[in-house]
Amino acid sequence: MLARYQKAFLASQLLYALICLVWLWSYSPGVALLCALVPWLLFAAVLGLEFALMQRLNRRRADAPVASPLQVLWAWCTEMRTALLIFCWRQPFRAHAEPDWLPAQPTGKRGVVLVHGFVCNRGVWLPWIPRLKAAGHACVAVSLEPVIGSIDAYAAAVEAAVQRVTAVTGMPPVLVCHSMGGLVARAWLRAYAGTGVDQRVHHVMTLGTPHAGTWLGQFSHAENGQQMRLESPWLQRLRADEPAERAGLFTCWYSNCDNIVFPATVAALPGARHRFLSGVPHLHMVLNEQVVQSCLEELAASTR
């Protein structure tokens, strides 16, 4: 569903650009090009505003190293490229280019469930799947639907993926979750608490997950966006429902250049293991080589 929406959005942007070029070119080619690029210039400006707000709040909290101006500039440029790659190519057109891999015979390696974040689909994980397959890890990348809805409603999709991976490996899988996906994993753990779920998952790795919410959540009118507001009632109930030892299942990656989940340490979960990233923006966490390699190494170690 999301892929269709994104394809329609891209088609509308191309139509708008074409109209600008045809209508205004005879008047002024420069004006025509500028008008055609207005949506993308606005996107760059909004992204820049996110980074400016992120930097301000991170300085105010000062509970994580504050990024340098050069780091912020690099992160802004990197996130622009990553957003165009994922939202304009991989998600709308390539989401199923790399299918889930469930080997016919066990490989002796632990399997993986990949859980994406808000307004995303499995296309964000395309670079991960061939590397997991090459290393012998069965993997399933879910697409959470509907895009706008309660985080609790996604628990069934995670449960189905966990069962599929466990069936072919005979071992509890590792969950790798980006952004909202980490909250989906926590909602799944709560929803299936009566099934011994803590023993049915080996570990959960979260990348830029708003475990305590995010400052930007206050601007969302979507149900799942509201659930990710700073210390939202939903997050408070989730935390109250979790046994204290559950945080030990988690490793949380967080960054001082996360332009979506900030202040930085809201992506940390008390009692979990934490991995700090310097200068890495939000969406790019799923492509960051340090993150990918570290997760692969932890996966390899988990079945030795």
Side-chain angles (χ1 to χ4, degrees), residues 159-184:
E159 173 67 10
V162 167
Q163 289 189 14
R164 291 176 66 199
V165 171
T166 303
V168 300
T169 64
M171 292 183 283
V174 170
L175 272 60
V176 181
C177 312
H178 179 244
S179 193
M180 183 190 73
L183 296 180
V184 173

Side-chain angles (χ1 to χ4, degrees), residues 91-106:
Q91 287 193 169
F93 300 106
R94 301 284 294 169
H96 296 280
E98 293 287 348
D100 299 334
W101 185 62
L102 298 170
Q105 299 295 327

Side-chain angles (χ1 to χ4, degrees), residues 50-70:
E50 288 177 0
F51 279 104
L53 292 169
M54 171 209 76
Q55 188 75 334
R56 182 179 180 183
L57 266 72
N58 282 344
R59 286 186 184 278
R60 186 179 298 174
R61 285 278 291 265
D63 50 4
V66 177
S68 69
L70 281 177

Side-chain angles (χ1 to χ4, degrees), residues 110-114 128 132 137-141 161 165 169 173-176 299:
R110 198 174 295 280
V112 182
V113 174
L114 301 166
W128 287 68
L132 290 168
H137 298 290
C139 57
V140 170
V165 171
T169 64
V174 170
L175 272 60
V176 181
L299 277 167

Side-chain angles (χ1 to χ4, degrees), residues 34-45:
L34 181 62
C35 290
L37 291 173
V38 162
W40 307 107
L41 294 173
L42 287 174
F43 172 67

